[in-house]
Amino acid sequence: MTAQWQSMALQHIGRLKQNPYPGRGIVIGLTPDGTRMVQVYWIMGRSENSRNRIFVREENGFVRTEAKDPAKLTDPSLIIYYPVRHIGQAHIVTNGDQTDTIFDALASGRTFEQALTSRTFEPDAPNYTPRISGVIDLEDKHCAYKLSILKTNAGNPEQTLRQFFHYEQPVPGFGHCIHTYAGDGNPLPSFEGEPFLVPLYDDIGETAQTYWDMLDADNRISLLVKTIRFDNGQTDMRIINKQGGETCGF
C-alpha cells in the first residue's frame, strides 16, 4: 500500500509541477514519523497587484498577507487576508477572508461546514475564483482533517457548489492537495475532482522547498508550512517569500 501511495503521490506532484498556474493551494496531512500534522499553503499571481505580496507571521501564530510595496497596492479586497489562524486546538487555513468566517463560527460553537454555507466563490468575474479551506482540529477524535472548495457550477455564478472532504485517519508521509485553478487560461478554469494525494516529509524545510520548487518560478509568490504536534499542540512554521528571496523559520 505504501509503495503504491508513494508512486501515486509522486505522479501527482509531477503533474502539479507541469501546471503553470494552479493558483492558490492547500495541502494537509501527516509527517512520515506520525508525530505532526502539516498544513502547506501557497499563493501565486499574474498581475503586479497580486505579485506585490508577502506572508507575515504575527506573534500569536496567525499569518497575514501584506503588500511588499504599499505604494503599488491597488485593490486589497481579495489579496489581503489571514490565510492561517487558530482557535484552541483548531488550526484553520484558507485562501481568503473566509478564514475569519470559520474562526468566528468555531468561536461561537458552530462548525467548519456551517461557516462555509454562508460564503460563496470570490466575486472576481469572469474567473469566479474558488474558495478553498481546510482545518485540523486535534480535539476532533472522528476526523483528522477537512478540506473544502466553494465554486461555481460549471462557470454559472448563479449556483454555488459546496464540496467537503473529510479524512478520518491521516496516513504518515502523505497529505491531500486542493488548489483553485485547473491551469492557466482566460477565464481561469476552476479546480475539478477530489483533493489528490501528495508526499510530505519529516523535515519542515524539505516540505517547504519541495512545494516551492514545484511552483512555476514566474508566478509563485509566497509559501508557508505549518506543523502541529499531536502530543502537546506545539507548532512550527516555515515561510518563503519571493519578494526579497527570504526564507524564514519560526
Side-chain angles (χ1 to χ4, degrees):
M1 174 68 78
T2 302
Q4 181 182 4
W5 278 42
Q6 188 68 33
S7 177
M8 291 172 54
L10 292 176
Q11 289 178 16
H12 292 154
I13 280 285
R15 286 198 291 268
L16 196 54
K17 190 171 185 177
Q18 294 172 2
N19 185 344
Y21 204 66
R24 286 164 275 174
I26 294 172
V27 176
I28 300 182
L30 181 64
T31 56
D33 64 12
T35 64
R36 289 154 292 155
M37 294 297 295
V38 182
Q39 293 176 329
V40 182
Y41 178 62
W42 72 77
I43 58 175
M44 305 181 77
R46 301 183 299 178
S47 68
E48 182 180 23
N49 191 48
S50 291
R51 292 180 174 180
N52 180 34
R53 287 182 291 171
I54 57 174
F55 286 160
V56 177
R57 184 181 186 269
E58 298 181 347
E59 290 185 3
N60 58 7
F62 296 176
V63 176
R64 69 178 188 274
T65 60
E66 184 176 281
K68 175 66 174 178
D69 184 351
K72 294 181 179 179
L73 182 63
T74 58
D75 180 9
S77 60
L78 294 176
I79 65 170
I80 303 300
Y81 56 92
Y82 280 91
V84 169
R85 296 182 74 183
H86 64 272
I87 178 169
Q89 295 298 313
H91 299 263
I92 307 160
V93 55
T94 89
N95 73 327
D97 64 10
Q98 73 269 26
T99 303
D100 300 333
T101 305
I102 298 168
F103 181 93
D104 292 342
L106 296 180
S108 64
R110 292 179 292 133
T111 66
F112 176 76
E113 294 81 3
Q114 288 171 327
L116 290 170
T117 58
S118 69
R119 303 303 302 268
T120 65
F121 44 83
E122 294 183 353
D124 60 339
N127 297 315
Y128 301 113
T129 298
R131 292 189 188 273
I132 54 174
S133 308
V135 67
I136 296 167
D137 188 349
L138 297 184
E139 294 183 349
D140 187 343
K141 304 307 179 184
H142 302 288
C143 187
Y145 56 96
K146 301 176 182 180
L147 288 166
S148 170
I149 184 168
L150 311 179
K151 61 182 182 178
T152 65
N153 187 358
N156 179 1
E158 296 182 2
Q159 297 181 354
T160 303
L161 294 183
R162 306 175 191 276
Q163 298 176 321
F164 297 91
F165 305 91
H166 293 189
Y167 299 89
E168 295 182 0
Q169 297 292 335
V171 179
F174 298 98
H176 287 90
C177 176
I178 194 167
H179 51 85
T180 53
Y181 306 126
D184 206 350
N186 190 19
L188 289 159
S190 293
F191 177 90
E192 295 181 352
E194 298 180 3
F196 51 88
L197 196 70
V198 290
L200 292 170
Y201 306 95
D202 285 325
D203 182 81
I204 191 171
E206 184 177 1
T207 296
Q209 199 63 53
T210 295
Y211 285 90
W212 183 250
D213 291 344
M214 173 202 68
L215 300 174
D216 181 84
D218 291 331
N219 294 324
R220 65 190 181 190
I221 299 173
S222 294
L223 177 143
L224 67 85
V225 180
K226 176 180 178 180
T227 63
I228 308 108
R229 291 193 62 90
F230 275 120
D231 55 0
N232 58 15
Q234 181 180 349
T235 63
D236 191 11
M237 188 174 293
R238 183 66 52 87
I239 290 176
I240 302 176
N241 287 313
K242 184 176 182 178
Q243 292 275 11
E246 297 180 353
T247 302
C248 305
F250 302 92

Short mmCIF file of all heavy atoms in Angstrom, two decimals, residues 13 17 38 40-42 199-201 203-217 220 223-225 238-241 245-248:
data_model
loop_
_atom_site.label_atom_id
_atom_site.label_comp_id
_atom_site.label_asym_id
_atom_site.label_seq_id
_atom_site.Cartn_x
_atom_site.Cartn_y
_atom_site.Cartn_z
N ILE A 13 2.52 15.06 -7.87
CA ILE A 13 3.46 16.17 -7.77
C ILE A 13 4.01 16.53 -9.15
O ILE A 13 4.16 17.71 -9.49
CB ILE A 13 4.62 15.80 -6.82
CG1 ILE A 13 4.18 15.97 -5.36
CG2 ILE A 13 5.85 16.65 -7.07
CD1 ILE A 13 4.09 17.42 -4.91
N LYS A 17 3.62 20.10 -10.99
CA LYS A 17 4.79 20.86 -11.42
C LYS A 17 4.66 21.30 -12.87
O LYS A 17 5.18 22.35 -13.27
CB LYS A 17 6.06 20.02 -11.24
CG LYS A 17 7.34 20.79 -11.44
CD LYS A 17 8.55 19.97 -11.04
CE LYS A 17 9.82 20.81 -11.14
NZ LYS A 17 11.02 20.04 -10.68
N VAL A 38 0.45 18.52 9.27
CA VAL A 38 1.10 19.51 8.40
C VAL A 38 0.05 20.28 7.60
O VAL A 38 -0.92 19.69 7.11
CB VAL A 38 2.07 18.83 7.42
CG1 VAL A 38 2.77 19.87 6.55
CG2 VAL A 38 3.09 17.98 8.15
N VAL A 40 0.24 23.09 4.37
CA VAL A 40 1.01 23.85 3.38
C VAL A 40 0.03 24.79 2.69
O VAL A 40 -1.09 24.39 2.36
CB VAL A 40 1.67 22.93 2.34
CG1 VAL A 40 2.49 23.74 1.35
CG2 VAL A 40 2.52 21.86 3.00
N TYR A 41 0.46 26.03 2.48
CA TYR A 41 -0.37 26.97 1.73
C TYR A 41 0.52 27.83 0.85
O TYR A 41 1.57 28.30 1.31
CB TYR A 41 -1.19 27.88 2.67
CG TYR A 41 -2.01 28.90 1.91
CD1 TYR A 41 -3.02 28.50 1.04
CD2 TYR A 41 -1.77 30.26 2.03
CE1 TYR A 41 -3.77 29.42 0.33
CE2 TYR A 41 -2.52 31.20 1.33
CZ TYR A 41 -3.52 30.76 0.47
OH TYR A 41 -4.25 31.66 -0.25
N TRP A 42 0.13 28.00 -0.40
CA TRP A 42 0.90 28.87 -1.30
C TRP A 42 -0.03 29.81 -2.07
O TRP A 42 -1.22 29.53 -2.24
CB TRP A 42 1.75 28.05 -2.26
CG TRP A 42 0.99 27.34 -3.34
CD1 TRP A 42 0.46 27.87 -4.50
CD2 TRP A 42 0.69 25.94 -3.39
NE1 TRP A 42 -0.15 26.90 -5.24
CE2 TRP A 42 -0.02 25.70 -4.59
CE3 TRP A 42 0.96 24.86 -2.54
CZ2 TRP A 42 -0.48 24.43 -4.96
CZ3 TRP A 42 0.51 23.61 -2.91
CH2 TRP A 42 -0.21 23.41 -4.10
N PRO A 199 3.09 13.84 -1.33
CA PRO A 199 4.02 13.44 -0.26
C PRO A 199 4.30 14.57 0.72
O PRO A 199 4.23 15.75 0.39
CB PRO A 199 5.30 13.07 -1.04
CG PRO A 199 5.26 13.96 -2.24
CD PRO A 199 3.81 14.10 -2.60
N LEU A 200 4.65 14.17 1.96
CA LEU A 200 5.11 15.09 2.98
C LEU A 200 6.38 14.51 3.61
O LEU A 200 6.65 13.32 3.47
CB LEU A 200 4.03 15.32 4.05
CG LEU A 200 2.79 16.08 3.58
CD1 LEU A 200 1.70 16.03 4.63
CD2 LEU A 200 3.13 17.53 3.23
N TYR A 201 7.11 15.36 4.34
CA TYR A 201 8.41 14.95 4.87
C TYR A 201 8.51 15.32 6.34
O TYR A 201 7.81 16.20 6.83
CB TYR A 201 9.53 15.61 4.06
CG TYR A 201 9.38 15.35 2.57
CD1 TYR A 201 8.74 16.28 1.75
CD2 TYR A 201 9.83 14.16 2.02
CE1 TYR A 201 8.56 16.02 0.39
CE2 TYR A 201 9.67 13.89 0.66
CZ TYR A 201 9.03 14.83 -0.14
OH TYR A 201 8.85 14.57 -1.48
N ASP A 203 11.14 16.70 7.78
CA ASP A 203 11.82 17.99 7.89
C ASP A 203 10.97 19.09 7.27
O ASP A 203 10.62 19.03 6.08
CB ASP A 203 13.18 17.93 7.20
CG ASP A 203 13.95 19.22 7.34
OD1 ASP A 203 14.57 19.43 8.40
OD2 ASP A 203 13.91 20.04 6.40
N ILE A 204 10.60 20.09 8.07
CA ILE A 204 9.73 21.16 7.60
C ILE A 204 10.36 21.92 6.43
O ILE A 204 9.67 22.36 5.50
CB ILE A 204 9.34 22.10 8.76
CG1 ILE A 204 8.22 23.06 8.35
CG2 ILE A 204 10.56 22.87 9.26
CD1 ILE A 204 7.67 23.87 9.52
N GLY A 205 11.68 22.07 6.47
CA GLY A 205 12.36 22.76 5.38
C GLY A 205 12.29 22.00 4.08
O GLY A 205 12.16 22.59 3.01
N GLU A 206 12.37 20.66 4.15
CA GLU A 206 12.27 19.85 2.94
C GLU A 206 10.88 19.94 2.34
O GLU A 206 10.74 20.03 1.11
CB GLU A 206 12.61 18.39 3.25
CG GLU A 206 12.61 17.50 2.02
CD GLU A 206 13.02 16.07 2.32
OE1 GLU A 206 13.28 15.75 3.49
OE2 GLU A 206 13.07 15.26 1.36
N THR A 207 9.87 19.93 3.19
CA THR A 207 8.50 20.09 2.67
C THR A 207 8.34 21.44 2.01
O THR A 207 7.80 21.54 0.89
CB THR A 207 7.48 19.93 3.81
OG1 THR A 207 7.55 18.60 4.34
CG2 THR A 207 6.06 20.18 3.32
N ALA A 208 8.81 22.50 2.66
CA ALA A 208 8.69 23.84 2.10
C ALA A 208 9.41 23.94 0.76
O ALA A 208 8.86 24.46 -0.22
CB ALA A 208 9.24 24.88 3.08
N GLN A 209 10.64 23.45 0.70
CA GLN A 209 11.42 23.57 -0.53
C GLN A 209 10.84 22.72 -1.65
O GLN A 209 10.84 23.13 -2.82
CB GLN A 209 12.88 23.18 -0.27
CG GLN A 209 13.84 23.71 -1.32
CD GLN A 209 13.88 25.23 -1.36
OE1 GLN A 209 14.08 25.88 -0.34
NE2 GLN A 209 13.67 25.80 -2.54
N THR A 210 10.31 21.54 -1.32
CA THR A 210 9.71 20.68 -2.33
C THR A 210 8.56 21.37 -3.03
O THR A 210 8.47 21.37 -4.28
CB THR A 210 9.22 19.37 -1.70
OG1 THR A 210 10.34 18.64 -1.21
CG2 THR A 210 8.46 18.51 -2.70
N TYR A 211 7.67 21.98 -2.25
CA TYR A 211 6.50 22.61 -2.86
C TYR A 211 6.84 23.95 -3.50
O TYR A 211 6.25 24.32 -4.52
CB TYR A 211 5.37 22.73 -1.84
CG TYR A 211 4.73 21.38 -1.61
CD1 TYR A 211 5.19 20.53 -0.62
CD2 TYR A 211 3.71 20.93 -2.43
CE1 TYR A 211 4.64 19.27 -0.44
CE2 TYR A 211 3.15 19.67 -2.27
CZ TYR A 211 3.62 18.85 -1.27
OH TYR A 211 3.08 17.59 -1.12
N TRP A 212 7.80 24.66 -2.96
CA TRP A 212 8.24 25.91 -3.59
C TRP A 212 8.87 25.62 -4.96
O TRP A 212 8.57 26.30 -5.94
CB TRP A 212 9.23 26.62 -2.68
CG TRP A 212 9.70 27.95 -3.18
CD1 TRP A 212 10.95 28.27 -3.63
CD2 TRP A 212 8.93 29.16 -3.26
NE1 TRP A 212 11.01 29.60 -3.98
CE2 TRP A 212 9.78 30.17 -3.77
CE3 TRP A 212 7.61 29.48 -2.96
CZ2 TRP A 212 9.35 31.48 -3.98
CZ3 TRP A 212 7.17 30.78 -3.16
CH2 TRP A 212 8.03 31.76 -3.67
N ASP A 213 9.71 24.62 -5.02
CA ASP A 213 10.36 24.26 -6.29
C ASP A 213 9.35 23.74 -7.31
O ASP A 213 9.58 23.84 -8.52
CB ASP A 213 11.43 23.20 -6.06
CG ASP A 213 12.64 23.73 -5.30
OD1 ASP A 213 12.79 24.96 -5.21
OD2 ASP A 213 13.41 22.91 -4.76
N MET A 214 8.25 23.20 -6.83
CA MET A 214 7.22 22.66 -7.71
C MET A 214 6.46 23.77 -8.45
O MET A 214 5.95 23.58 -9.55
CB MET A 214 6.25 21.83 -6.87
CG MET A 214 5.01 21.32 -7.57
SD MET A 214 3.74 20.96 -6.34
CE MET A 214 3.34 22.61 -5.76
N LEU A 215 6.38 24.95 -7.85
CA LEU A 215 5.58 26.05 -8.41
C LEU A 215 6.34 26.77 -9.51
O LEU A 215 7.56 26.93 -9.45
CB LEU A 215 5.21 27.04 -7.30
CG LEU A 215 4.38 26.48 -6.14
CD1 LEU A 215 4.21 27.53 -5.05
CD2 LEU A 215 3.02 25.99 -6.63
N ASP A 216 5.60 27.24 -10.50
CA ASP A 216 6.18 28.00 -11.60
C ASP A 216 6.96 29.19 -11.07
O ASP A 216 6.43 29.99 -10.28
CB ASP A 216 5.07 28.47 -12.54
CG ASP A 216 5.60 29.25 -13.72
OD1 ASP A 216 5.99 28.63 -14.71
OD2 ASP A 216 5.62 30.51 -13.63
N ALA A 217 8.22 29.33 -11.49
CA ALA A 217 9.11 30.35 -10.93
C ALA A 217 8.63 31.76 -11.20
O ALA A 217 8.90 32.67 -10.40
CB ALA A 217 10.53 30.15 -11.46
N ARG A 220 4.95 32.08 -8.85
CA ARG A 220 4.89 31.84 -7.41
C ARG A 220 5.19 33.13 -6.65
O ARG A 220 5.97 33.97 -7.10
CB ARG A 220 5.86 30.74 -7.01
CG ARG A 220 7.33 31.08 -7.23
CD ARG A 220 8.23 29.88 -7.04
NE ARG A 220 9.63 30.24 -7.22
CZ ARG A 220 10.63 29.36 -7.30
NH1 ARG A 220 10.37 28.06 -7.21
NH2 ARG A 220 11.87 29.77 -7.46
N LEU A 223 4.89 31.03 0.16
CA LEU A 223 4.50 29.69 0.60
C LEU A 223 4.80 29.56 2.09
O LEU A 223 5.80 30.12 2.57
CB LEU A 223 5.26 28.63 -0.19
CG LEU A 223 5.03 27.16 0.18
CD1 LEU A 223 5.03 26.28 -1.07
CD2 LEU A 223 6.10 26.66 1.15
N LEU A 224 3.94 28.84 2.79
CA LEU A 224 4.19 28.56 4.20
C LEU A 224 3.95 27.09 4.48
O LEU A 224 3.15 26.44 3.80
CB LEU A 224 3.32 29.43 5.11
CG LEU A 224 1.81 29.22 5.12
CD1 LEU A 224 1.36 28.11 6.07
CD2 LEU A 224 1.10 30.51 5.50
N VAL A 225 4.66 26.58 5.46
CA VAL A 225 4.42 25.25 6.00
C VAL A 225 4.27 25.38 7.51
O VAL A 225 5.12 26.00 8.17
CB VAL A 225 5.56 24.27 5.68
CG1 VAL A 225 5.26 22.90 6.28
CG2 VAL A 225 5.78 24.15 4.18
N ARG A 238 7.46 27.54 8.65
CA ARG A 238 8.47 28.00 7.70
C ARG A 238 7.76 28.83 6.62
O ARG A 238 6.74 28.39 6.08
CB ARG A 238 9.20 26.81 7.08
CG ARG A 238 10.32 27.16 6.12
CD ARG A 238 11.48 27.85 6.83
NE ARG A 238 11.95 27.10 7.98
CZ ARG A 238 12.85 26.12 7.93
NH1 ARG A 238 13.37 25.75 6.78
NH2 ARG A 238 13.23 25.53 9.05
N ILE A 239 8.30 30.00 6.31
CA ILE A 239 7.72 30.89 5.30
C ILE A 239 8.76 31.19 4.24
O ILE A 239 9.92 31.48 4.56
CB ILE A 239 7.21 32.20 5.93
CG1 ILE A 239 5.97 31.94 6.79
CG2 ILE A 239 6.88 33.24 4.85
CD1 ILE A 239 5.47 33.16 7.53
N ILE A 240 8.37 31.12 2.98
CA ILE A 240 9.20 31.55 1.86
C ILE A 240 8.47 32.65 1.12
O ILE A 240 7.34 32.46 0.68
CB ILE A 240 9.51 30.39 0.90
CG1 ILE A 240 10.19 29.23 1.62
CG2 ILE A 240 10.38 30.88 -0.26
CD1 ILE A 240 10.43 28.02 0.73
N ASN A 241 9.11 33.81 0.99
CA ASN A 241 8.58 34.92 0.23
C ASN A 241 9.48 35.20 -0.96
O ASN A 241 10.70 35.38 -0.80
CB ASN A 241 8.49 36.18 1.10
CG ASN A 241 7.37 36.11 2.11
OD1 ASN A 241 6.24 35.75 1.78
ND2 ASN A 241 7.67 36.45 3.36
N GLY A 245 13.43 37.21 -1.56
CA GLY A 245 14.08 35.92 -1.56
C GLY A 245 14.37 35.36 -0.18
O GLY A 245 15.27 34.57 0.00
N GLU A 246 13.58 35.74 0.81
CA GLU A 246 13.87 35.35 2.18
C GLU A 246 13.17 34.03 2.54
O GLU A 246 12.06 33.76 2.12
CB GLU A 246 13.42 36.43 3.16
CG GLU A 246 14.15 37.75 2.99
CD GLU A 246 13.68 38.81 3.96
OE1 GLU A 246 12.70 38.52 4.67
OE2 GLU A 246 14.28 39.88 4.00
N THR A 247 13.85 33.22 3.30
CA THR A 247 13.27 32.03 3.91
C THR A 247 13.32 32.23 5.42
O THR A 247 14.37 32.41 5.99
CB THR A 247 14.05 30.77 3.52
OG1 THR A 247 14.07 30.65 2.10
CG2 THR A 247 13.40 29.55 4.12
N CYS A 248 12.14 32.18 6.04
CA CYS A 248 12.06 32.47 7.47
C CYS A 248 11.54 31.24 8.21
O CYS A 248 10.55 30.66 7.82
CB CYS A 248 11.12 33.65 7.73
SG CYS A 248 11.56 35.14 6.81
#
